[in-house]
């Protein structure tokens, strides 16, 4: 079975530009998570969805960040406008909700904002 | 403040020895505990989950949970150079429906 799919794998953009990251969860999983990882802050949960509904977005750093999950097989994380401090690796993960919440991560998108 | 603490390392262990990784957490409402392995430049990979006190074994890996002392550990027996990676401890606090990751421990297995 295919794992979590993310695109693009690498993104280089200039400050002020809009960035859209995409994620396709594992088929059958109904929870989806967006994370950001940096050396300084480690792995941080930004937002997660359960059955396409955002449950907790308290980790979203500010209004420049937004996430959507229009259906069970697709989610986007958008940054507008982007800033150099947004440079990080962004991971998407999915799980089958329930007691276990074992998450499976995608390969990540390395974002560089110049 | 809900926190998950890990020693950042690096932890150096000779090949064939037992590697012991530890994690403490602050919220007593935590109920689900996970260990992820992350190779440099790669994504985290789930290797163990544990939900009740005691030990859980899977191959060369053993997870240990002590809720009274609020710690969870991971033992890797017969360590191999391929085990060299960063190990992330994650705690799911069911009450708050939130997962918190530690910053990870870098493990280096010496050939």
């Amino acid at each position: 079975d295919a794992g979590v799919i993310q695109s693009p794998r690498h993104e280089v953009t200039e400050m002020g530009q809009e960035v859209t990251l995409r994620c396709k969860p594992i088929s059958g999983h109904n929870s989806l998570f967006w994370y950001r990882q940096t050396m300084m802050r480690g792995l941080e949960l930004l937002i997660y969805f359960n059955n396409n509904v955002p449950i907790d977005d308290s980790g979203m750093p500010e209004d420049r960040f937004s996430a959507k999950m229009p259906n069970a097989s697709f989610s986007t994380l958008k940054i507008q406008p982007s800033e150099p401090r947004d440079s990080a690796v962004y991971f998407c993960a999915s799980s089958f909700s329930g007691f276990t919440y074992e998450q499976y991560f995608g390969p990540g998108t390395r974002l560089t904002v110049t | 403040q809900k926190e998950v603490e890990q020693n950042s390392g690096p932890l150096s262990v000779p090949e064939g020895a037992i590697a012991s990784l530890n994690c403490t957490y602050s919220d007593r409402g935590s109920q689900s505990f996970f260990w992820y392995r992350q190779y440099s430049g790669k994504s985290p990979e789930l290797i163990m989950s544990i939900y009740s006190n005691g030990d859980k074994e899977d191959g060369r890996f053993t997870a240990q949970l002590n809720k009274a002392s609020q710690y969870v550990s991971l033992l890797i027996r017969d360590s191999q150079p391929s085990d060299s990676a960063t190990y992330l401890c994650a705690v799911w606090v069911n009450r708050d429906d939130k997962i918190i990751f530690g910053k990870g421990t870098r493990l280096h297995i010496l050939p």
Side-chain angles (χ1 to χ4, degrees):
Chain A
D1 286 339
V4 176
I5 299 172
Q6 291 187 248
S7 64
R9 294 293 306 276
H10 302 273
E11 178 80 30
V12 180
T13 191
E14 292 183 349
M15 183 174 62
Q17 296 299 306
E18 178 180 295
V19 175
T20 299
L21 311 181
R22 297 173 176 79
C23 175
K24 175 179 170 57
I26 292 172
S27 178
H29 283 186
N30 61 347
S31 293
L32 183 140
F33 307 80
W34 282 102
Y35 291 90
R36 178 173 67 178
Q37 188 174 41
T38 62
M39 288 294 292
M40 287 293 293
R41 300 175 67 89
L43 191 64
E44 301 175 280
L45 177 65
L46 300 177
I47 185 171
Y48 86 93
F49 297 84
N50 196 44
N51 293 322
N52 311 339
V53 176
I55 302 300
D56 182 3
D57 65 355
S58 61
M60 297 285 262
E62 48 199 271
D63 292 345
R64 297 185 297 107
F65 286 68
S66 63
K68 293 182 180 180
M69 191 165 186
N71 57 62
S73 59
F74 183 67
S75 177
T76 60
L77 178 68
K78 186 176 294 186
I79 308 172
Q80 167 63 21
S82 58
E83 296 182 3
R85 60 191 168 122
D86 301 331
S87 297
V89 180
Y90 291 81
F91 290 107
C92 175
S94 71
S95 73
F96 178 72
S97 67
F99 185 66
T100 62
Y101 282 96
E102 297 176 352
Q103 299 182 29
Y104 296 85
F105 283 74
T109 295
R110 182 173 296 276
L111 173 64
T112 302
V113 183
T114 61
Chain B
Q1 180 83 13
K2 299 180 179 59
E3 291 183 347
V4 177
E5 300 286 345
Q6 295 182 256
N7 188 321
S8 63
L11 174 66
S12 295
V13 174
E15 183 176 356
I18 296 174
S20 178
L21 305 165
N22 298 310
C23 171
T24 59
Y25 59 95
S26 60
D27 197 303
R28 288 192 175 274
S30 305
Q31 295 187 24
S32 305
F33 307 85
F34 308 93
W35 284 100
Y36 286 82
R37 177 177 62 199
Q38 187 174 24
Y39 293 114
S40 180
K42 301 295 184 181
S43 58
E45 173 192 11
L46 179 68
I47 54 174
M48 289 287 287
S49 57
I50 187 167
Y51 309 101
S52 54
N53 280 328
D55 294 359
K56 178 181 178 183
E57 186 175 318
D58 184 1
R60 296 186 297 113
F61 299 97
T62 299
Q64 299 175 318
L65 175 61
N66 184 324
K67 290 187 178 180
S69 300
Q70 296 177 240
Y71 82 79
V72 57
S73 61
L74 180 70
L75 302 178
I76 306 175
R77 290 182 300 280
D78 188 22
S79 297
Q80 303 296 311
S82 60
D83 295 326
S84 296
T86 296
Y87 289 80
L88 304 171
C89 172
V91 175
W92 188 281
V93 183
N94 288 34
R95 180 179 57 211
D96 296 331
D97 235 6
K98 188 183 289 289
I99 190 166
I100 302 174
F101 279 79
K103 286 190 167 57
T105 298
R106 283 185 296 136
L107 175 64
H108 181 47
I109 304 302
L110 304 170

